[in-house]
Amino acid sequence: MTNDPGTGRRPAGRILLTSTVAPPAVAAAGALVLRNWRAQLPDPIATHWNLDGAADGFAGLPATIALVLGFGALFAALGFGLSRAAAADPALTRAVAATVTGTVAFVTTLIVLATGSQRGLADAAAAAPPGTSLLAALGVGLALGAGAAAAIPRWSRGPAAPPAAEAPRIPVGTDELVVWTRSVATGSVTTSVLVAAIGLVAAIGVLTRLWILLGLAVLLAVLVAATCSIRVTVDARGVTVAGLFGWPHLHTPLGDIASASVTDVAPLRHFGGYGYRMAVLGPLRGARGFVLRGGPALVLHRRDGVRTLVVVDDAATAAGLVNSLAERTGGARTDPTR
């Protein structure tokens, strides 16, 4: 089984439109609406409300418009950089477009709706908190984000390079059944920092009686427990990475793999942190995968040109088994020049 490779060319124009042009365009539209309302608004306008629903933060309309435009410009630059880093991966490129466009749409819509509710008021202190506006803005953000992602079709950069002669291999018989599996967990320092941060959020929630913070701490604890340890399995079906509770779950069928290799990963230098990451700069630029700690990583070079990896002990054995199984089943293509 192989993934649909999609179109043969990267849709650079659509990617630029959805990741770089759309965010400032949405912000500019919101800024224009705010400017047209300037004669109907109090000066200053309310920009923040406390837990009791009373306005406690104010700003001038020009500053608010500048904030909207600046936010759009910032996310346009972010979208441009991230879309270039994700050039080899259609799914990540769509995610970048959806995130930057959807976020700007959410923030812009929220500011416009919260400001629009103050039209006709003599004093912004009487403005009601933007409760329903928050839900409406969320809906607009999700809709525009989904539209940006849908506007980018799948594509393929062509087949990955075939395994080199020196690529790791483990002899496997024609009818031999083999399985390789290892578990990997985050380092003790990273785990300690995460637990301390969760504990701090929970303590603040209890002391301030902001129960939403306590709920957030519980959610974070579940996420950390689910992702702090993963198991990597290589067998005749392909390569599977699964979290402690079965999620997150990533399976790459053997037929989708052109070859496997090994590399050394420095989480902060190559990926900017830990978890499920994508490399933005450096030799691993565009690669994505699970980076729970530093060290050797199994790298899968997929047929569609995407590289996925997972940092795991004995990665060389895993890569050798992947290459041998792929060649045995015809998944890895041989170099016609050899």
Side-chain angles (χ1 to χ4, degrees):
M1 180 177 67
T2 58
N3 289 333
D4 178 12
T7 61
R9 296 181 58 187
R10 181 175 182 265
R14 294 194 184 191
I15 293 172
L16 182 66
L17 179 65
T18 55
S19 300
T20 307
V21 177
V26 171
L32 181 61
V33 172
L34 293 175
R35 182 177 180 276
N36 289 337
W37 286 345
R38 63 186 184 279
Q40 308 171 44
L41 295 170
D43 185 21
I45 59 174
T47 57
H48 187 271
W49 289 259
N50 59 28
L51 294 177
D52 295 326
D56 62 354
F58 303 88
L61 183 62
T64 302
I65 292 176
L67 174 65
V68 171
L69 293 175
F71 195 78
L74 173 63
F75 271 72
L78 184 64
F80 180 77
L82 291 179
S83 63
R84 287 179 61 85
D89 194 327
L92 280 180
T93 301
R94 288 197 205 94
V96 169
T99 300
V100 296
T101 300
T103 301
V104 172
F106 166 72
V107 172
T108 300
T109 303
L110 180 59
I111 292 176
V112 168
L113 292 178
T115 303
S117 67
Q118 302 174 51
R119 287 182 294 171
L121 293 179
D123 186 354
T132 56
S133 297
L134 183 63
L135 296 178
L138 180 60
V140 172
L142 290 174
L144 290 187
I152 302 176
R154 290 183 58 86
W155 78 90
S156 173
R157 295 185 67 186
E166 66 273 13
R169 287 174 176 79
I170 293 179
V172 177
T174 304
D175 299 321
E176 187 177 1
L177 297 177
V178 291
V179 176
W180 178 95
T181 183
R182 288 289 188 279
S183 62
V184 58
T186 55
S188 58
V189 174
T190 303
T191 302
S192 298
V193 170
L194 290 173
V195 171
I198 292 171
L200 179 61
V201 172
I204 293 175
V206 172
L207 292 175
T208 61
R209 295 187 178 181
L210 292 176
W211 306 121
I212 189 172
L213 289 181
L214 186 60
L216 177 62
V218 173
L219 177 60
L220 290 174
V222 173
L223 290 176
V224 169
T227 58
C228 69
S229 177
I230 58 175
R231 177 164 289 276
V232 186
T233 302
V234 178
D235 55 25
R237 299 173 301 167
V239 180
T240 303
V241 181
L244 184 62
F245 306 126
W247 182 90
H249 185 276
L250 176 66
H251 176 69
T252 307
L254 204 60
D256 290 354
I257 302 173
S259 64
S261 63
V262 179
T263 190
D264 286 322
V265 169
L268 294 178
R269 185 169 76 248
H270 293 146
F271 289 89
Y274 299 82
Y276 186 77
R277 317 286 293 188
M278 181 184 74
V280 177
L281 301 171
L284 296 176
R285 178 172 175 249
R288 59 187 172 98
F290 293 92
V291 183
L292 300 189
R293 56 178 175 76
L298 166 66
V299 184
L300 302 179
H301 304 267
R302 289 172 29 176
R303 286 181 176 271
D304 57 7
V306 174
R307 288 181 298 167
T308 59
L309 61 79
V310 56
V311 177
V312 63
D313 291 332
D314 199 20
T317 300
L321 185 57
V322 169
N323 286 328
S324 297
L325 289 173
E327 290 182 345
R328 187 180 73 173
T329 59
R333 285 168 282 188
T334 58
D335 187 347
T337 63
R338 292 204 303 265

